[in-house]
Amino acid sequence: KVKVLTRKPEEYIREKSSDLHRIRRNYDPVLHPLEKAREYTRALNAVKLERMFAKPFVGALNGHNDGVYCMAKNPRKITSLISGSGDGEIRLWDLADRTTVWSVQGHKGIVKGVCCSPAGNVYLSCGLDKTVKVWNPDVSTEPANTYLGKFAYSAIDHHRSDPIFATSSTQIEIWDESRSQPINTFSWGADTINTVRFNQTEKSILAGCGNDRSIILYDMRTGSPLAKMVMEMKTNAISWNPMEAFNFTTANEDQNCYTFDMRKMNVALNIFKDHVSAVLDIDYSPTGEEIVTGAYDRTLRIFRSREGHSRDVYHTKRMQRIFCVKYSIDSKFVLSGSDDGNVRLWKAKASEKLGAKSYRERAYLEYSEQLKARYKDLPEIRRIARHRHIPKDIKSMQQKKQIMLSAQKRKEENLRKHSKEGTVPYQAERKKKIIGVAK
C-alpha cells in the first residue's frame, strides 16, 4: 500500500484571476482557543460602525404650504405617494426623484384623509367640506367624481379588492363607487369617529375609533358591529397587521401604542412605550415585523412588533408635530408628514447602505448582524447599540415620566402589601389597571 495526500484541483484553483484564493480551514474548536475573544472584538467593531454610519435622513419633499395631515401609498407603484395638507391641497409625489408629479386644490379646508384604489391610478380624498372626491392624475386636475355627505369627514379607506370605500364622520359610511349615496352605515354610541381602517386579510372587517375613547369593530357581511372596547384615553389611529389577520395596533393619547387580538380584546398582547406625548399615527411594515409611529413630541419611532421599546428614534431640529407616518411598500423606508409642511423620507435601518452591494459585502454584513445578535446582551455592546442623541426637552420629559411611573408602581405595591385579595380597595385598584373592557 502507498498512502498519499490527494486533493481535487477545483477546491483550490481559482476560476478567474480576479477571484480570491480558496483557503481550507479546520474549524475544530481545539485549534482555535481564542475564537470567542475574536468574535467579541468583531461584534464590538460592528456595532460601533453601525452607530457611526447611522444617517437615517434621506431627504424632504417640499411644496405644501400648510401641515401634512394625511398620506397614502400606492399598492401598484412603489415610488408613488399622495398627501393632503391643511390648506386643502393634494399632491402626488415621486419618491425616487423627490418631486411633485401632480397637485391640485382639492378641498375647502383640511384634507382629513386620502387613499388609493386597488387599480393604482385612482385616488380618493375627503375633508371638512363634507365631500369625497375621486381623482385621476393621468387624465386631469378636475375630480372624476364627487360624493356629497351630510357631515364633515375625518378619515377614508378603500377596500383591498372591491370598488368599495369607507368614510368616518358621526358614523361610518360604506360607499359603492358606482352610487351617489352610502350603501350601509354603522354607528355605536360615539358622536364622532376619528378613523376607519379595513382589514387587509379579512377584507369584510373594518375598525374605527371614536371620541368617546371607544374602539369598534364592524363586519360588512352581517351589517352590524362585532365588538366594542373602551380605553382609558382616546385612540388616534389604527393599523392592522398585514400578516396576522386578527391583530391590530392602536395609537393612543396616553403616549403608548397597544396591540390587540380582535378575538379577545379585554387584554393587550403588547404595549409599545417610549413616546412622551400623544401618539398621532401608526403604520405596519409590509412584513408585519415592525411598526412606525409619529407623535406630538416631534419624534418618529420604529418598534419591533414583539418588543415593548423602540429600536430607533428619528428627529430633526426643524421637524414639528408628526401627524402621519407610512412604511414604504418595500419596507426599506419610512415617511413622515409633519406640521411644518414637509414630507420627510427616512431609511428604515439608519446605517443601511443605499444602492447595490457586492456578494462579499452582503456576506460581511450578514456575518456582522449574526455577531451583533449573538453578543447583544453583553454590557458594552448593549450600551453602544442603545445609545441615541435626543433633544434636551424630550430627555427631561422622559426623566419626569420615569419618576411618575416609579411612584405609581410604589403606590400599587404598597396597596397590594397592605390589602388582601377580595377587599374593596384591592378590587378598585385592579379595576383601574384594566386597559379596556369588551362589551
Side-chain angles (χ1 to χ4, degrees), residues 246-285:
F246 296 107
N247 295 346
F248 64 93
T249 304
T250 63
N252 205 274
E253 285 277 339
D254 64 357
Q255 308 172 8
N256 297 330
C257 299
Y258 301 91
T259 298
F260 293 99
D261 189 329
M262 62 177 290
R263 300 166 296 183
K264 186 180 180 183
M265 296 199 301
N266 60 338
V267 63
L269 298 179
N270 196 5
I271 301 177
F272 303 97
K273 304 177 180 180
D274 280 346
H275 279 295
V276 294
S277 189
V279 186
L280 300 181
D281 198 13
I282 187 171
D283 189 39
Y284 265 97
S285 67

Coordinates of all heavy atoms in Angstrom, one line a residue, residues 246-285:
F246 N -55.8 38.8 12.7 CA -56.7 39.1 13.8 C -56.1 40.2 14.7 O -56.7 40.7 15.6 CB -56.9 37.9 14.7 CG -57.6 36.8 14.0 CD1 -57.0 35.6 13.6 CD2 -59.0 36.9 13.7 CE1 -57.7 34.6 12.9 CE2 -59.7 35.9 13.1 CZ -59.0 34.7 12.7
N247 N -54.8 40.6 14.4 CA -54.2 41.6 15.3 C -54.2 43.0 14.7 O -54.0 43.1 13.5 CB -52.7 41.1 15.5 CG -52.6 39.8 16.3 OD1 -53.6 39.4 16.9 ND2 -51.5 39.2 16.3
F248 N -54.4 44.0 15.5 CA -54.3 45.3 15.1 C -53.6 46.1 16.3 O -53.6 45.7 17.4 CB -55.6 45.9 14.8 CG -56.6 46.0 15.9 CD1 -56.7 47.1 16.7 CD2 -57.4 44.9 16.2 CE1 -57.6 47.1 17.8 CE2 -58.3 44.9 17.3 CZ -58.4 46.0 18.1
T249 N -53.0 47.3 15.9 CA -52.3 48.1 16.9 C -53.0 49.5 16.9 O -53.3 50.0 15.8 CB -50.8 48.2 16.6 OG1 -50.3 46.9 16.5 CG2 -50.1 49.0 17.6
T250 N -53.1 50.1 18.0 CA -53.7 51.4 18.1 C -52.7 52.4 18.7 O -51.9 52.1 19.5 CB -55.0 51.4 19.1 OG1 -54.5 51.0 20.4 CG2 -56.0 50.3 18.6
A251 N -52.9 53.7 18.2 CA -52.1 54.8 18.7 C -52.9 55.6 19.7 O -54.0 56.1 19.3 CB -51.6 55.7 17.6
N252 N -52.5 55.7 20.9 CA -53.3 56.3 22.0 C -52.8 57.6 22.5 O -51.6 58.0 22.3 CB -53.4 55.3 23.1 CG -54.7 55.5 23.9 OD1 -54.7 56.3 24.9 ND2 -55.7 54.7 23.6
E253 N -53.7 58.4 23.1 CA -53.4 59.6 23.7 C -52.5 59.5 25.0 O -51.9 60.5 25.4 CB -54.7 60.4 24.1 CG -55.4 61.0 22.9 CD -54.8 62.4 22.4 OE1 -54.1 63.0 23.3 OE2 -55.0 62.8 21.3
D254 N -52.5 58.3 25.5 CA -51.7 58.2 26.8 C -50.2 57.8 26.5 O -49.6 57.3 27.4 CB -52.3 57.1 27.7 CG -52.3 55.7 27.0 OD1 -51.8 55.6 25.8 OD2 -52.7 54.7 27.6
Q255 N -49.7 58.2 25.3 CA -48.3 58.1 25.0 C -47.9 56.7 24.6 O -46.7 56.5 24.4 CB -47.4 58.7 26.1 CG -47.8 60.1 26.5 CD -47.0 60.5 27.7 OE1 -46.1 59.9 28.2 NE2 -47.4 61.7 28.3
N256 N -48.8 55.7 24.6 CA -48.5 54.4 24.3 C -49.2 53.9 23.1 O -50.2 54.5 22.6 CB -48.8 53.5 25.5 CG -48.0 53.8 26.7 OD1 -46.9 54.3 26.6 ND2 -48.6 53.6 27.9
C257 N -48.8 52.7 22.5 CA -49.5 52.0 21.5 C -49.8 50.6 22.0 O -49.0 50.0 22.7 CB -48.7 51.9 20.2 SG -48.3 53.5 19.5
Y258 N -51.0 50.1 21.6 CA -51.4 48.8 22.2 C -51.8 47.9 21.0 O -52.4 48.3 20.0 CB -52.7 49.0 23.0 CG -52.5 49.9 24.2 CD1 -52.7 51.3 24.1 CD2 -52.0 49.4 25.4 CE1 -52.5 52.1 25.2 CE2 -51.8 50.2 26.5 CZ -52.1 51.6 26.4 OH -51.8 52.4 27.5
T259 N -51.3 46.6 21.1 CA -51.7 45.6 20.1 C -52.7 44.7 20.7 O -52.5 44.2 21.9 CB -50.4 44.8 19.7 OG1 -49.5 45.6 19.1 CG2 -50.8 43.7 18.8
F260 N -53.8 44.4 20.0 CA -54.9 43.6 20.5 C -55.2 42.5 19.5 O -54.9 42.6 18.3 CB -56.2 44.5 20.6 CG -56.1 45.5 21.7 CD1 -55.8 46.8 21.4 CD2 -56.4 45.1 23.0 CE1 -55.8 47.7 22.4 CE2 -56.3 46.1 24.1 CZ -56.0 47.4 23.8
D261 N -55.7 41.4 20.0 CA -56.3 40.4 19.2 C -57.8 40.6 19.1 O -58.5 40.7 20.2 CB -56.0 39.0 19.8 CG -56.4 37.9 18.9 OD1 -57.3 38.0 18.1 OD2 -55.7 36.8 18.9
M262 N -58.4 40.7 17.9 CA -59.8 41.1 17.8 C -60.7 40.0 18.4 O -61.9 40.2 18.7 CB -60.2 41.3 16.4 CG -60.0 40.1 15.5 SD -60.5 40.4 13.8 CE -62.2 40.5 13.9
R263 N -60.2 38.8 18.7 CA -61.0 37.7 19.2 C -61.0 37.8 20.8 O -61.9 37.2 21.4 CB -60.4 36.4 18.8 CG -60.4 36.1 17.3 CD -59.6 34.9 16.9 NE -58.2 35.2 17.2 CZ -57.2 34.3 16.9 NH1 -57.5 33.2 16.3 NH2 -55.9 34.6 17.2
K264 N -60.1 38.5 21.4 CA -60.0 38.6 22.8 C -59.4 40.0 23.2 O -58.2 40.2 23.3 CB -59.2 37.5 23.4 CG -59.2 37.5 24.9 CD -58.3 36.3 25.4 CE -58.3 36.3 26.9 NZ -57.4 35.3 27.5
M265 N -60.3 41.0 23.2 CA -59.9 42.4 23.3 C -59.9 42.9 24.8 O -59.7 44.1 25.0 CB -60.7 43.3 22.5 CG -60.6 43.0 21.0 SD -61.2 44.4 20.0 CE -62.8 44.6 20.5
N266 N -60.0 42.0 25.8 CA -60.0 42.5 27.1 C -58.6 42.7 27.7 O -58.4 43.2 28.8 CB -60.8 41.6 28.0 CG -60.2 40.2 28.0 OD1 -59.5 39.8 27.1 ND2 -60.5 39.4 29.0
V267 N -57.6 42.3 26.9 CA -56.2 42.4 27.4 C -55.3 42.7 26.1 O -55.6 42.2 25.1 CB -55.7 41.2 28.1 CG1 -55.7 40.0 27.2 CG2 -54.4 41.4 28.7
A268 N -54.3 43.5 26.3 CA -53.4 43.9 25.2 C -52.4 42.8 25.1 O -51.8 42.3 26.1 CB -52.8 45.2 25.5
L269 N -52.0 42.4 23.8 CA -51.0 41.5 23.6 C -49.6 42.1 23.8 O -48.7 41.5 24.2 CB -51.0 41.0 22.1 CG -52.3 40.2 21.7 CD1 -52.2 39.8 20.3 CD2 -52.5 39.0 22.6
N270 N -49.5 43.4 23.5 CA -48.2 44.1 23.7 C -48.5 45.6 23.8 O -49.5 46.1 23.3 CB -47.3 43.9 22.4 CG -45.9 44.3 22.7 OD1 -45.5 44.6 23.8 ND2 -45.0 44.2 21.7
I271 N -47.6 46.3 24.6 CA -47.7 47.7 24.8 C -46.4 48.3 24.4 O -45.3 47.9 24.8 CB -48.0 48.0 26.3 CG1 -49.3 47.4 26.8 CG2 -48.0 49.5 26.5 CD1 -49.6 47.6 28.2
F272 N -46.4 49.3 23.5 CA -45.3 50.0 23.0 C -45.1 51.3 23.7 O -46.0 52.2 23.6 CB -45.4 50.2 21.5 CG -45.6 49.0 20.7 CD1 -46.9 48.6 20.3 CD2 -44.5 48.2 20.3 CE1 -47.1 47.4 19.6 CE2 -44.7 47.0 19.6 CZ -46.0 46.6 19.2
K273 N -44.0 51.5 24.4 CA -43.7 52.6 25.2 C -42.6 53.4 24.6 O -42.0 53.0 23.6 CB -43.4 52.3 26.6 CG -44.5 51.4 27.3 CD -44.1 51.0 28.7 CE -45.2 50.2 29.3 NZ -44.9 49.8 30.7
D274 N -42.2 54.5 25.2 CA -41.1 55.4 24.9 C -41.5 56.8 24.4 O -40.7 57.7 24.6 CB -40.1 54.8 23.8 CG -39.2 53.8 24.4 OD1 -39.1 53.7 25.6 OD2 -38.6 53.0 23.6
H275 N -42.7 57.0 23.8 CA -43.1 58.4 23.5 C -43.4 59.1 24.7 O -43.8 58.5 25.7 CB -44.3 58.3 22.5 CG -43.9 58.1 21.1 ND1 -43.2 59.0 20.4 CD2 -44.2 57.1 20.3 CE1 -43.1 58.5 19.1 NE2 -43.7 57.3 19.1
V276 N -43.2 60.4 24.7 CA -43.5 61.3 25.9 C -44.7 62.2 25.6 O -44.9 63.2 26.4 CB -42.3 62.1 26.3 CG1 -41.2 61.2 26.8 CG2 -41.8 62.9 25.1
S277 N -45.4 62.0 24.5 CA -46.6 62.8 24.2 C -47.5 61.9 23.4 O -47.2 60.7 23.1 CB -46.2 64.0 23.4 OG -47.3 64.9 23.3
A278 N -48.7 62.4 23.1 CA -49.7 61.6 22.4 C -49.2 61.1 21.1 O -48.6 61.8 20.3 CB -51.0 62.5 22.2
V279 N -49.5 59.8 20.8 CA -49.2 59.2 19.5 C -50.3 59.5 18.6 O -51.4 59.2 18.8 CB -48.9 57.7 19.7 CG1 -48.4 57.1 18.4 CG2 -48.0 57.4 20.9
L280 N -49.9 60.1 17.4 CA -50.9 60.6 16.5 C -51.2 59.6 15.3 O -52.3 59.6 14.7 CB -50.6 61.9 15.9 CG -50.4 63.0 17.0 CD1 -50.1 64.4 16.3 CD2 -51.7 63.2 17.8
D281 N -50.2 58.8 14.9 CA -50.4 57.9 13.8 C -49.5 56.7 13.9 O -48.5 56.8 14.6 CB -50.1 58.6 12.5 CG -50.7 57.9 11.3 OD1 -51.5 57.0 11.5 OD2 -50.3 58.2 10.1
I282 N -49.8 55.6 13.2 CA -49.1 54.4 13.3 C -49.3 53.6 12.0 O -50.3 53.8 11.3 CB -49.6 53.5 14.5 CG1 -48.8 52.3 14.7 CG2 -51.1 53.1 14.3 CD1 -49.1 51.6 16.0
D283 N -48.3 52.8 11.6 CA -48.4 52.0 10.4 C -47.5 50.8 10.5 O -46.4 50.9 11.1 CB -48.0 52.9 9.2 CG -48.3 52.1 7.9 OD1 -49.3 51.5 7.8 OD2 -47.4 52.2 7.0
Y284 N -47.9 49.7 10.0 CA -47.2 48.5 10.0 C -46.3 48.4 8.7 O -46.6 49.0 7.7 CB -48.1 47.2 10.0 CG -48.4 46.7 11.3 CD1 -49.5 47.0 12.1 CD2 -47.5 45.8 11.9 CE1 -49.8 46.4 13.3 CE2 -47.7 45.2 13.2 CZ -48.9 45.5 13.8 OH -49.1 45.0 15.1
S285 N -45.2 47.7 8.9 CA -44.3 47.4 7.7 C -45.0 46.3 6.9 O -45.8 45.5 7.5 CB -43.0 47.0 8.1 OG -43.0 45.7 8.8

